[in-house]
Each structure stands twice: as C-alpha cells, then as structure tokens.
Amino acid sequence: MSVLNKFMLLAMISTLLLSFRSPPKKIKVYLIGDSTMSVKQKRYYPETGWGMPFAGFFDAEVEVDNRAQNGRSTKSFINEKRWQSVMDSLNEDDYVFIQFGHNDEVETKKNYTKPEEFKANLIRFITDTKAKKATPILLSPVSRRRFDVGGKAQETHPYTYLVKEVASEQKVAFIDLDARSIALYQKFGPDASTLLFNHLEPGIHPNYPEGKIDDTHFNELGAREIAQLVLQELRKLNLDLSNHIVKPQPKK
C-alpha cells in the first residue's frame, strides 16, 4: 500500500471514530418541590406547574428534569426516596432548584414538617448538591393568592423566613419567589389576578364539570408568568446557567 493510500485510510478511520463519539454531556437542571412547580397530568389541565413553561427557556445544551410532585414536603420528598433518586443521577455542573413550603408549613397536612426539621432538610438538599459539585438554588415558596379588604396582596407563607435564613446561613443562590409572586398579584389586582389561577366556572372545562376555585395552583397563564419571574431572578444571579437561556433569533 502506498504512503498516500495509507494516509487516506487513516483519515477515513479517524473520521469514523469521530462520528461515533458520544454527544457532549448536557447540563441538567433538576426541579424539586411541590404541586406549584410540578408537571401535570392531562386530567388536571388547565392546572399547570410553573416548571412546565420554565423548561422551554434554555438552549439544547440544557435539560430540565422536573422531579417536583403534588403534595410533597421536604420530609416526604426525602422519605419516598425521591431525593435519593436525584442524587443517583446528579453530576458536576448540574443545578438543583429547591422550592418547598406549601405542604411543610400546614400542621393539618400529613406531610407537615416542623420548622427545625424543615431547615435541616433544606440544608441536606444544599449540602448533598454541593458534595456532587453541582449548584443548589433555593427558592421561597410561590405565594398563594390572598387579598385583604383594602385590595392589598397578603403574605401567605409562615415558612418563607426559614428559607431566607437557610439561604443566608448556607450562602447559596436564592430567589425570593414569595415576594416576587405577591408583587405580581398586586400588579394584576384582586379581580384580574384570578386569571392566573385555576378558576373555572361550572360547565367550562371537562376536567372540572362542577367548576373550580383554586387560589394556590396556576393555569397556563399563571404558570408562565411565575416561570418568567424565576427567569428574571436567575439572570441576576450571574450563574453560568444564564448563558444557556435561549437567545432571540434575528428577524430575516
């Protein structure tokens, strides 16, 4: 075989080997939390978790893995091995968005978590994430819709201050989604803010023939508005993840 032919053969082999290389590893963004964040089954539509539209904000190098589940507190998320499942697949340079409180703070719920236990669980999520060289982002729970008689949007989460304490003590990225969502509802006002939530008149939607008045869970519009708030706050954190937010395509 001539030198030229050998060179061409080596070039072909190199090309083939390159073609069989595995694609570059994607950055995974894990969402852990409760029903306000989770992916909904069709039987619950138009109820929508804010994590659903949030998944569409990133380029092809990012994969959003929404592990949030309806009704979960920090305690039940750990006890059901859901956190262990995240840890089993979490890699360096991944991200974990942590949003709990809705179910932890209500003493009548079966998944109620005492304040000191709630803080300890949040610290565990953070510590475990950092141990994997991934980045935790702590969020206060998104607010429920509640207005006083004067039309002022009210605080609805007694555990928000605990989330703030943990974020400060652990020196981790923090998004005050409680405050941002309250400001959003105030902007819409007492009446128009119902358009963000799963409010339905009887006979309007086949999933809720009797109608629905729900001031905790969002519809498609509300979920998108909340997801956009999270995105705005993410940009302010100056994390590498912000570099993977989809950029507008120039108009032709």
Side-chain angles (χ1 to χ4, degrees), residues 2 31-32 94 124 140 162 191 201 217 230 241-242:
S2 68
L31 307 183
I32 66 170
D94 288 343
R124 175 177 174 180
S140 55
L162 296 173
D191 295 328
E201 296 291 335
H217 299 100
V230 176
L241 183 60
S242 297

Side-chain angles (χ1 to χ4, degrees), residues 181-238:
S181 55
I182 289 174
L184 175 70
Y185 309 156
Q186 190 67 63
K187 178 182 176 181
F188 273 77
D191 295 328
S193 59
T194 61
L195 299 174
L196 304 173
F197 289 84
N198 203 20
H199 279 225
L200 296 164
E201 296 291 335
I204 294 297
H205 198 287
N207 283 346
Y208 302 94
E210 305 298 321
K212 186 76 173 179
I213 298 178
D214 183 347
D215 288 319
T216 297
H217 299 100
F218 306 105
N219 57 23
E220 298 100 321
L221 173 62
R224 180 166 56 80
E225 290 284 345
I226 298 298
Q228 290 170 175
L229 292 180
V230 176
L231 189 70
Q232 290 171 14
E233 294 302 305
L234 175 62
R235 291 182 187 275
K236 296 176 185 178
L237 294 175
N238 294 319

Side-chain angles (χ1 to χ4, degrees), residues 1 11 18 30 35 52 63 68 93-94 101 114 126 131 135-136 141 148 169 174 191 193 211 224 232 242 249 252:
M1 183 181 294
L18 286 172
Y30 293 89
S35 58
M52 296 170 72
E63 178 184 349
D93 298 327
D94 288 343
K114 293 180 180 179
I126 292 165
T135 302
D148 64 16
E169 292 165 2
F174 173 63
D191 295 328
S193 59
R224 180 166 56 80
Q232 290 171 14
S242 297
Q249 295 297 316
K252 294 181 180 180

Side-chain angles (χ1 to χ4, degrees), residues 11-190:
M12 291 174 60
I13 292 172
S14 297
T15 302
L16 285 171
L17 288 174
L18 286 172
S19 68
F20 284 111
R21 281 185 180 178
S22 57
K25 183 181 75 70
K26 288 190 176 185
I27 298 168
K28 291 196 74 171
V29 175
Y30 293 89
L31 307 183
I32 66 170
D34 53 49
S35 58
T36 59
M37 178 194 265
S38 66
V39 175
K40 305 297 178 180
Q41 299 176 25
K42 288 184 178 180
R43 62 193 178 100
Y44 293 118
Y45 286 177
E47 184 180 315
T48 309
W50 67 257
M52 296 170 72
F54 185 75
F57 291 153
F58 301 95
D59 62 28
E61 295 181 40
V62 173
E63 178 184 349
V64 176
D65 189 341
N66 192 339
R67 302 290 185 94
Q69 289 289 322
N70 292 14
R72 270 49 180 197
S73 64
T74 56
K75 180 170 64 176
S76 61
F77 200 85
I78 291 170
N79 290 345
E80 294 173 3
K81 309 298 183 184
R82 295 181 184 278
W83 177 238
Q84 186 58 52
S85 177
V86 172
M87 287 301 297
D88 289 343
S89 55
L90 187 64
N91 291 308
E92 183 177 351
D93 298 327
D94 288 343
Y95 293 81
V96 183
F97 284 67
I98 305 161
Q99 184 219 260
F100 286 95
H102 275 86
N103 302 297
D104 295 85
E105 65 194 6
V106 182
E107 294 187 30
T108 55
K109 286 183 176 288
K110 65 178 181 178
N111 290 329
Y112 168 69
T113 312
K114 293 180 180 179
E116 61 274 15
E117 186 180 7
F118 178 67
K119 287 188 68 174
N121 290 340
L122 292 180
I123 292 170
R124 175 177 174 180
F125 295 145
I126 292 165
T127 303
D128 288 354
T129 300
K130 287 183 175 179
K132 286 290 192 84
K133 297 183 179 179
T135 302
I137 300 176
L138 197 58
L139 297 86
S140 55
V142 62
S143 181
R144 304 177 181 93
R145 175 185 168 275
R146 184 186 299 165
F147 288 83
D148 64 16
V149 293
K152 182 178 180 181
Q154 299 294 292
E155 172 62 71
T156 64
H157 286 299
Y159 273 18
T160 284
Y161 82 97
L162 296 173
V163 182
K164 291 179 179 179
E165 285 183 0
V166 171
S168 177
E169 292 165 2
Q170 297 297 311
K171 295 179 173 56
V172 295
F174 173 63
I175 294 174
D176 194 351
L177 191 54
D178 189 5
R180 288 301 310 271
S181 55
I182 289 174
L184 175 70
Y185 309 156
Q186 190 67 63
K187 178 182 176 181
F188 273 77

